[in-house]
Amino acid sequence: MTSLTAKTSYSVRSQQWREFWFYFSASKTAVAGLCFLIGVVLMAIFADVISPHLPAEQYRDFTEIPPAWMEGGQMRFFLGTDYAGRDMLSRIIHGARLSLIAGAIVVIMSASIGVLLGLVAGFQGGWIETIIMRVMDTIMAVPGLLMALVLVAVLGPGLLNAMVAIAITYTPSFVRLTRASTMTELNKDYVTASKVAGAGPMRLMFISILPNCMAPLIVQGTLSFSTAILDTAALGFLGMGAQAPLPEWGTLIAENRDLMLSAPWTVTFPGIAILLAVLAINLMGDGLRDALDPKLKRS
Amino acid sequence: MLKFLFKRLLVLVPVFFGVTLVAFGFIRVLPGDPVEVLAGERGVSAERHAELMTQLGLNEPLWQQYLNYIGDVLQGDLGTSLITNRPVAEEFFELFPATAELAICAILFAIILGIPAGIIAAVKRGTLIDQGIMGISLAGYSMPIFWWGLLLIILFSNTLNLTPVSGRLSFLFEVEPVTGFMLIDSFLSDEKGAFKSAMHHLVLPSVVLGTIPLAVIARQTRSAMLEVLSEDYVRTAKAKGLSPLRVIAIHALRNAMITVVTVIGLQVAVLLAGAILTETIFGWPGIGKWIIFSVFSRDYFAVQGGLLLIATSVMVVNLTVDLLYGLINPRILH
Amino acid sequence: MKKTLLALSLGLGLAVSGVAQAKTLVFCSEGSPEGFNPSLYSAGTTFDASSQTIFNRLVQFEAGSTKVVPGLAESWTASADGLEYTFNLRKGVKYHTTKDFTPTRDFNADDILFTFNRMWKEDHPYHDVSGGDYKYFGWMSMGDLLKSIEKVDDYTVKFTLNYAEAPFVSNMAMDFASVLSAEYGDELAASGNKDDIDHKPVGTGPFVFKSYQKDAMIRYTAHDDYWGGRSNIDKLVFAITTDANVRYQKLKAGECHVMPYPNPADVAAMDKDPEINLLRQEGLNVGYLAFNTEKPPFDQKLVRQALNMAINKQSILDVVFKGAGSIAKNPIPPTIWSYNDDVKDYDYDPEKAKAMLAEAGVSGLKTNIWAMPVQRPYNPNARRMAELIQADWAKVGVEAEIVTFEWGEYLKRSKNGEHDTVLLGWTGDNGDPDNFMYVLLGCDAAKDGGNRARWCNEEFDSTLRQAKKVTDQAQRTTLYEKAQVIFKEEAPWVTIAHSVVFKPVRKEVTGFKVHPLGSHIFYDGVDLK
């Protein structure tokens, strides 16, 4: 009996997965985004191997060297160097690591807390729900970046604190989403069935209901991933995120901002890196949404 | 309608108190010491320090401080800036029109470009034009706007010398602040060229701030349009031989309106967050720049008051949008 | 380039046509003033916008130097014991007429009493207005110093001191001592608008305050009846522009005539620009790295000397200051009298530093460098400086972690001595060496924390104390020169740099001088072609 259910659910899952991939791969742009993202992830993982220099190594005789193709540029510093003679390319490659990890951790933190609170709010109702939702409303009443900024001011500037602050501002959207899905699912037959079968609230919440709300959560997670990278960079730019000499992309722009006119490459390339990474994730996110959201599937 | 309004207001009350708690709490746990910041390298003696802390009311027990604060807020007193010694509310409302002007222009820019772009993409669905528009708008949506602003300054202000770099108006003009909206004030003034100068100053910041809303509006309009175009009555209308232009004009615009109103509602908080970055980059004398400065200089009471005022304005705008939405689409009232 | 010039001249054409009737000088100032009463605030930005334009003091610094010259006092005398100073006031000095105030009498001794009693006497009706925190009055210990201020007659005032303090007259030239109007004060008190005295200022200075829009601009007009003669500039505008890049852009575009604090990175380009005069002067400041001499191994002279040698100051100057500075070897800048040029700095020598560290028995040292979160003329980018020092020290086997805090926290914690080494600096207030050495390195300062090295050297301290009491400048010079030798040998700091102050000014501005104390003065011969 048990093995039979397991088998069925396995084949259902694999069936779902195949269907998903069918729709996802139909979008060339989504696949392109995914490939690019995989590339960036690999770059981040193997940053030590592929970057030509150490990110913090200061070549003091080679400060503010322009990129290789510009007059005065050198092949060994392909994207040029910054004020202290550090190789921009190496810094950007290593920065990918920080930005991706920051984005991922923000999503994991906000999603896990948000889903938990959302499930509880949707499942329990009553005053617990009211409190949770009012707290979330309060967080949402203050613009996200401002909220994060003040939180970081409290916690102290730094990458970790920036991630925590951003995660807090992202939590309400996960809570709302999970709560809404939970409330829809609660009235469905299969939930009633498990209830009758005597499933406890934990089992109901996590085993029965949660898997069925996954699709919108995955889409929301992907979108949050890209905005988390943007917001981490924005905090870095304002001097409240990762602290120099850490090569986080936003921090790179901030630390070189006074060279904006005399050495524009120190500002341009980190920005392009942010833009491309975020664009790739968003392309992938669009594909995911189309593949997972049955309503939009055929439109 | 009234009942709906009342219900919405009732929800806002706890949120408002939540925000006062947040604003109050933040400031009290902020590390650092306002008196020390004010003294700088030259320092302050221990007695003087204690004296100033008492004067600022920072020595009382927390609950007492909170009660004092709430009492003051309900009387409309948001405290006094530590740096300028001026009432926080006064500073806020002096700078607010600048941010409002920038935000309005940004959203207008987004609407004027975004809706047609979305409609065209929907109508030309699947073609290169559609892919191009959607590609650009996704890039806009992915844009780190602080970098975008710097890039535009390098290009338009520095290299091409087309736009001024910062501020709201050339300093050659003397314009009396009547409304606080520079476009209106400069138009009313008898200074020749002031209006043009104000326009020039607005272009880049509006484009930068409007980029993300533009992308969102274009995408939303497109999907709303696609939905409408596939609905039966539109197909019927088409089948009846009505010109495509008419079909789009009549049926799509109404839907586009709903989309726009919703998006504007959702974008207010985004715009205010974006204003922080945009104003910092363009030296725009608005509340975004002010609140950043206050956070950095540890102007406790300015941050506290500013947070509350900003949150309140977001709530008011959201409420207004809800009501507008209700007017356009009466179904949601029930 | 040609294109730029063309666009520029077009822009200027527009500007000039407006200027033909009224000469308007635009100053791209670096921030909003804190307010308009210099006695309440401490920022140079505030002083530029208030004390240097709207107000006068009893005595003033001559434009372009730290020499004290007559201001509202035509002359002054000191008693032989240095305890009594008598000022003879100038007659016929007119206050500004503004929208809200029309003066009925000239400046006299009552105004001096009003100004100083407000700061000094806690029961003065204006003492608590605008927070009642008179920063520089406190920092210069004026409260302890003053015994009495008397009005001898309408045009004579006598200050009596509790102890002899050689720099007293210089103090009277500082911004905080700007003279307000007693009549205006009375009028506002009668109408219940006391706060206005600090927001709608009335003074005797060369420019009349007209309007202020926060974060945007301040406007002034020339004071027609100024006692020193009407200014050549008819209208003065402060265009508040916080970003240095942007200020430079505006200067290039002719949107402003003078800008302070250029980006070090842009200075080279400014120098080449034919439209811009780049004025330069050594700043009256010092940037340093202080060792916490209470914490081992920094209690050892040898270690401090070795770490001095391990730092490549030239590289810091190139990277952080972009050449806009000079290497510091003494705790006072060369522009101050008594600067001892015979002192020899520690040369950059990592090998010797390594050997000295070994000799001191220090190996594998792990320490920290505190980097300020704010930008200062004496240190345009502390983080960058710390990164360079970190790399330099790594070469001699010292591993340093860069630490930073929010500014208030930074000052407080470093005052409590929580740091190992800390980057900080000082900008002179009145051009007296005492204002650097005693405040930053004396034993009293080691106790209250102003001395970040927490360094108290008997010989050094007694030399400084002696120099405080002597009034003869030659004698004082000898004493300060000796103190600098002790300082260098003991090496409680790494003296890093004195900034060079650059003031890019458009060609059409004439007569503008860089002021060593950092103020921007638009009177005293400043004109527009």
Side-chain angles (χ1 to χ4, degrees):
Chain A
M1 176 77 189
T2 23
S3 66
L4 188 71
T5 11
K7 206 169 174 183
T8 329
S9 81
Y10 171 76
S11 62
V12 168
R13 288 276 148 81
S14 88
Q15 163 80 33
Q16 280 176 344
W17 171 249
R18 247 180 284 143
E19 193 187 336
F20 161 76
W21 182 250
F22 173 76
Y23 285 115
F24 183 81
S25 57
S27 161
K28 280 188 211 103
T29 48
V31 175
L34 180 67
C35 292
F36 187 84
L37 186 67
I38 291 173
V40 177
V41 171
L42 288 177
M43 183 171 96
I45 294 173
F46 297 106
D48 294 321
V49 187
I50 54 173
S51 73
H53 303 275
L54 287 174
E57 176 85 46
Q58 303 176 351
Y59 298 92
R60 298 242 188 121
D61 297 331
F62 298 96
T63 56
E64 293 168 37
I65 301 276
W69 59 90
M70 278 170 67
E71 203 185 315
Q74 298 181 3
M75 273 319 279
R76 58 186 287 224
F77 302 117
F78 189 70
L79 293 183
T81 62
D82 69 359
Y83 57 87
R86 291 175 295 204
D87 180 45
M88 286 310 295
L89 178 61
S90 309
R91 284 177 83 65
I92 291 172
I93 292 176
H94 280 266
R97 207 181 255 185
L98 294 172
S99 289
L100 288 182
I101 291 178
I105 291 183
V106 166
V107 173
I108 292 169
M109 277 197 284
S110 53
S112 46
I113 297 171
V115 166
L116 190 70
L117 289 177
L119 277 174
V120 171
F123 195 80
Q124 294 283 346
W127 60 272
I128 296 182
E129 182 190 16
T130 312
I131 290 182
I132 292 178
M133 293 324 287
R134 286 301 87 78
V135 171
M136 293 305 133
D137 285 347
T138 306
I139 297 178
M140 287 183 87
V142 182
L145 187 66
L146 178 60
M147 189 69 151
L149 194 79
V150 180
L151 276 169
V152 179
V154 170
L155 301 167
L159 186 55
L160 183 68
N161 290 341
M163 293 190 297
V164 172
I166 296 170
I168 292 177
T169 63
Y170 285 7
T171 309
S173 51
F174 283 101
V175 174
R176 288 189 158 189
L177 199 60
T178 317
R179 171 175 162 268
S181 322
T182 309
M183 283 163 65
T184 330
E185 298 293 323
L186 262 182
N187 298 323
K188 290 196 178 155
D189 292 345
Y190 75 97
V191 179
T192 323
S194 341
K195 259 191 198 158
V196 171
M202 280 298 163
R203 195 186 158 78
L204 270 178
M205 274 198 287
F206 289 101
I207 312 285
S208 309
I209 298 177
L210 183 58
N212 289 296
C213 324
M214 271 331 262
L217 282 174
I218 288 173
V219 174
Q220 178 68 27
T222 324
L223 292 176
S224 305
F225 184 40
S226 64
T227 39
I229 291 178
L230 279 178
D231 283 349
T232 315
L235 282 181
F237 174 73
L238 291 170
M240 295 299 242
Q243 296 292 305
L246 276 186
E248 190 273 322
W249 289 336
T251 312
L252 283 183
I253 296 178
E255 69 177 10
N256 290 308
R257 193 179 158 197
D258 58 337
L259 307 179
M260 180 174 109
L261 299 179
S262 56
W265 58 90
T266 54
V267 174
T268 322
F269 294 120
I272 293 177
I274 302 176
L275 175 60
L276 289 181
V278 173
L279 183 59
I281 298 167
N282 282 338
L283 282 173
M284 200 186 80
D286 270 8
L288 276 179
R289 195 194 48 209
D290 293 349
L292 290 172
D293 188 336
K295 198 181 139 210
L296 288 170
K297 227 173 247 178
R298 267 156 288 273
S299 71
Chain B
M1 192 71 199
L2 267 180
K3 208 174 141 198
F4 173 74
L5 181 66
F6 185 70
K7 247 169 76 185
R8 297 297 316 227
L9 278 174
L10 214 60
V11 178
L12 284 186
V13 173
V15 176
F16 180 81
F17 279 98
V19 175
T20 61
L21 254 179
V22 168
F24 174 84
F26 269 160
I27 299 311
R28 294 314 182 284
V29 291
L30 267 180
D33 176 327
V35 174
E36 207 66 53
V37 174
L38 290 175
E41 286 98 330
R42 280 165 184 81
V44 58
S45 72
E47 307 93 73
R48 185 76 191 128
H49 186 271
E51 208 179 300
L52 285 171
M53 289 295 274
T54 316
Q55 201 180 2
L56 297 174
L58 295 170
N59 274 350
E60 288 176 60
L62 272 184
W63 60 270
Q64 183 67 49
Q65 286 186 36
Y66 181 69
L67 285 186
N68 292 347
Y69 167 62
I70 284 292
D72 289 346
V73 166
L74 293 181
Q75 288 170 33
D77 175 7
L78 293 170
T80 307
S81 157
L82 282 173
I83 292 189
T84 60
N85 289 319
R86 288 176 63 211
V88 172
E90 204 179 296
E91 301 227 306
F92 182 90
F93 286 111
E94 194 180 313
L95 298 172
F96 186 75
T99 303
E101 182 174 40
L102 175 59
I104 291 171
C105 289
I107 206 86
L108 280 180
F109 161 77
I111 290 172
I112 290 170
L113 281 184
I115 292 184
I119 294 177
I120 292 171
V123 174
K124 304 267 176 193
R125 187 175 166 218
T127 63
L128 263 180
I129 298 176
D130 176 28
Q131 284 167 359
I133 290 177
M134 283 304 102
I136 291 171
S137 68
L138 196 65
Y141 184 67
S142 311
M143 190 64 82
I145 63 166
F146 54 95
W147 174 77
W148 180 224
L150 292 180
L151 207 67
L152 291 181
I153 290 181
I154 294 180
L155 191 66
F156 287 97
S157 302
N158 190 50
T159 313
L160 300 175
N161 259 320
L162 283 177
T163 48
V165 197
S166 92
R168 299 178 72 189
L169 187 69
S170 164
F171 293 96
L172 296 167
F173 303 111
E174 261 186 271
V175 171
E176 276 293 306
V178 184
T179 56
F181 288 81
M182 195 54 84
L183 283 179
I184 301 175
D185 288 350
S186 61
F187 190 72
L188 293 178
S189 80
D190 44 12
E191 297 261 351
K192 267 190 204 131
F195 181 70
K196 203 175 147 202
S197 163
M199 290 278 282
H200 266 153
H201 281 81
L202 253 169
V203 174
L204 283 194
S206 306
V207 169
V208 169
L209 187 56
T211 297
I212 290 182
L214 165 63
V216 174
I217 290 176
R219 284 158 61 87
Q220 291 289 331
T221 311
R222 177 177 177 270
S223 39
M225 279 293 293
L226 284 180
E227 226 168 293
V228 179
L229 288 177
S230 67
E231 264 170 46
D232 291 343
Y233 65 97
V234 179
R235 282 194 221 162
T236 320
K238 266 192 196 160
K240 274 206 225 141
L242 284 178
S243 81
L245 210 64
R246 238 184 111 178
V247 174
I248 293 164
I250 295 172
H251 296 282
L253 279 181
R254 214 181 92 92
N255 284 283
M257 274 297 283
I258 296 177
T259 315
V260 168
V261 172
T262 326
V263 170
I264 292 175
L266 292 172
Q267 292 295 309
V268 170
V270 176
L271 273 177
L272 279 173
I276 293 177
L277 295 166
T278 315
E279 290 180 5
T280 306
I281 291 165
F282 289 98
W284 192 264
I287 49 169
K289 195 164 159 248
W290 171 74
I291 196 117
I292 283 262
F293 177 78
S294 304
V295 170
F296 279 114
S297 53
R298 287 298 185 272
D299 190 341
Y300 280 37
F301 301 114
V303 177
Q304 181 175 285
L307 271 181
L308 185 61
L309 285 169
I310 290 174
T312 312
S313 12
V314 171
M315 287 190 272
V316 168
V317 175
N318 280 342
L319 185 67
T320 321
V321 169
D322 276 353
L323 293 179
L324 271 180
Y325 196 49
L327 286 178
I328 299 173
N329 194 358
R331 266 176 304 172
I332 75 146
L333 288 184
H334 308 290
Chain C
M1 193 63 210
K2 254 191 190 146
K3 218 173 181 180
T4 326
L5 274 178
L6 187 70
L8 228 158
S9 47
L10 279 176
L12 274 180
L14 199 80
V16 169
S17 66
V19 169
Q21 307 89 11
K23 279 184 188 168
T24 305
L25 188 138
V26 183
F27 171 57
C28 272
S29 65
E30 75 281 13
S32 291
E34 299 152 294
F36 289 94
N37 179 350
S39 66
L40 289 162
Y41 307 108
S42 59
T45 314
T46 305
F47 295 156
D48 284 342
S50 57
S51 34
Q52 301 302 336
T53 45
I54 305 166
F55 295 105
N56 289 124
R57 287 143 298 285
L58 279 173
V59 290
Q60 314 205 128
F61 293 113
E62 191 180 61
S65 86
T66 54
K67 198 179 143 202
V68 175
V69 296
L72 291 177
E74 276 179 320
S75 63
W76 63 93
T77 51
S79 66
D81 58 3
L83 290 178
E84 279 180 22
Y85 287 84
T86 309
F87 294 90
N88 302 312
L89 308 183
R90 196 178 290 277
K91 292 185 177 118
V93 174
K94 304 275 186 234
Y95 276 101
H96 302 156
T97 303
T98 66
K99 255 191 296 194
D100 311 285
F101 175 68
T102 311
T104 61
R105 65 163 176 81
D106 291 351
F107 155 78
N108 66 28
D110 291 332
D111 298 309
I112 300 293
L113 260 60
F114 176 78
T115 301
F116 286 95
N117 285 341
R118 173 180 175 186
M119 295 188 265
W120 186 27
K121 302 260 159 85
E122 275 174 34
D123 56 357
H124 190 273
Y126 269 92
H127 184 78
D128 291 332
V129 173
S130 301
D133 185 17
Y134 302 98
K135 301 211 164 55
Y136 268 98
F137 191 81
W139 288 329
M140 306 316 285
S141 308
M142 292 298 287
D144 301 333
L145 181 62
L146 288 177
K147 193 172 175 191
S148 70
I149 308 174
E150 289 159 67
K151 169 181 172 181
V152 179
D153 60 45
D154 266 358
Y155 291 97
T156 316
V157 186
K158 189 165 86 183
F159 286 74
T160 312
L161 310 183
N162 280 318
Y163 50 87
E165 168 85 356
F168 173 72
V169 175
S170 298
N171 288 358
M172 288 291 101
M174 287 172 61
D175 299 273
F176 81 90
S178 293
V179 177
L180 311 175
S181 162
E183 192 192 0
Y184 185 43
D186 292 343
E187 204 167 278
L188 290 175
S191 63
N193 294 319
K194 279 187 185 176
D195 284 347
D196 281 357
I197 198 165
D198 301 323
H199 300 311
K200 299 176 178 167
V202 169
T204 54
F207 295 99
V208 182
F209 174 80
K210 201 166 162 219
S211 67
Y212 167 52
Q213 275 166 279
K214 191 176 166 58
D215 286 346
M217 66 176 105
I218 317 170
R219 290 183 181 280
Y220 307 88
T221 49
H223 180 193
D224 290 329
D225 303 318
Y226 186 54
W227 56 269
R230 189 180 188 278
S231 95
N232 301 322
I233 307 293
D234 300 307
K235 289 181 177 179
L236 178 65
V237 180
F238 280 29
I240 298 162
T241 317
T242 41
D243 191 292
N245 289 315
V246 177
R247 285 201 293 277
Y248 178 33
Q249 295 289 303
K250 292 192 152 201
L251 189 76
K252 277 209 290 194
E255 286 179 50
C256 59
H257 298 98
V258 181
M259 71 169 270
Y261 312 115
N263 253 331
D266 297 329
V267 167
M270 289 173 179
D271 209 8
K272 279 185 214 132
D273 193 327
E275 291 297 315
I276 293 173
N277 270 333
L278 188 65
L279 306 179
R280 53 175 289 157
Q281 180 165 42
E282 306 267 341
L284 199 74
N285 58 34
V286 61
Y288 60 83
L289 175 85
F291 298 107
N292 185 346
T293 57
E294 279 177 356
K295 283 193 187 169
F298 305 109
D299 51 349
Q300 297 182 54
K301 189 165 84 180
L302 204 59
V303 175
R304 301 197 297 259
Q305 288 174 339
L307 291 177
N308 252 289
M309 281 177 204
I311 294 177
N312 184 349
K313 292 188 192 174
Q314 190 55 50
S315 172
I316 291 180
L317 221 62
D318 294 344
V319 171
V320 180
F321 288 86
K322 300 272 173 196
S326 54
I327 292 183
K329 57 182 181 181
N330 287 322
I332 57 171
T335 34
I336 288 193
W337 54 272
S338 84
Y339 179 81
N340 190 344
D341 210 12
D342 295 333
V343 167
K344 202 186 161 314
D345 200 10
Y346 297 102
D347 287 328
Y348 174 55
D349 189 346
E351 287 313 310
K352 191 162 169 213
K354 238 190 244 175
M356 283 167 77
L357 284 174
E359 191 189 333
V362 172
S363 65
L365 177 60
K366 282 195 172 61
T367 183
N368 57 46
I369 302 169
W370 285 30
M372 302 142 46
V374 292
Q375 198 179 8
R376 284 289 186 273
Y378 56 73
N379 192 340
N381 194 331
R383 191 150 259 287
R384 222 171 258 190
M385 191 182 282
E387 283 173 38
L388 298 180
I389 296 176
Q390 182 186 43
D392 281 340
W393 281 358
K395 286 182 204 143
V396 297
V398 174
E399 195 182 312
E401 180 199 357
I402 298 175
V403 177
T404 196
F405 292 99
E406 172 280 317
W407 187 221
E409 195 74 359
Y410 186 88
L411 293 164
K412 193 168 162 185
R413 286 177 188 243
S414 62
K415 209 157 97 177
N416 295 338
E418 292 176 32
H419 57 283
D420 286 353
T421 73
V422 63
L423 285 171
L424 208 62
W426 184 262
T427 302
D429 299 317
N430 54 14
D432 199 281
D434 180 73
N435 179 252
F436 277 79
M437 289 201 256
Y438 193 73
V439 187
L440 301 176
L441 291 156
C443 286
D444 280 350
K447 260 177 249 135
D448 74 24
N451 179 343
R452 255 61 178 195
R454 307 181 82 74
W455 174 72
C456 175
N457 180 293
E458 199 61 40
E459 197 191 354
F460 181 82
D461 196 61
S462 64
T463 313
L464 290 189
R465 279 174 187 281
Q466 212 182 330
K468 245 180 177 329
K469 296 206 181 79
V470 186
T471 43
D472 176 45
Q473 183 150 334
Q475 240 176 312
R476 292 184 76 200
T477 305
T478 325
L479 289 167
Y480 285 126
E481 281 174 350
K482 182 181 152 201
Q484 288 168 61
V485 176
I486 305 170
F487 166 83
K488 197 78 230 177
E489 168 63 21
E490 289 290 323
W493 290 358
V494 181
T495 48
I496 294 173
H498 309 294
S499 76
V500 169
V501 178
F502 287 101
K503 296 284 139 92
V505 173
R506 287 196 62 85
K507 268 281 180 335
E508 53 270 28
V509 179
T510 56
F512 183 80
K513 295 192 194 80
V514 188
H515 197 277
L517 290 164
S519 326
H520 299 90
I521 300 173
F522 300 99
Y523 182 67
D524 274 338
V526 179
D527 202 352
L528 278 173
K529 258 190 277 193

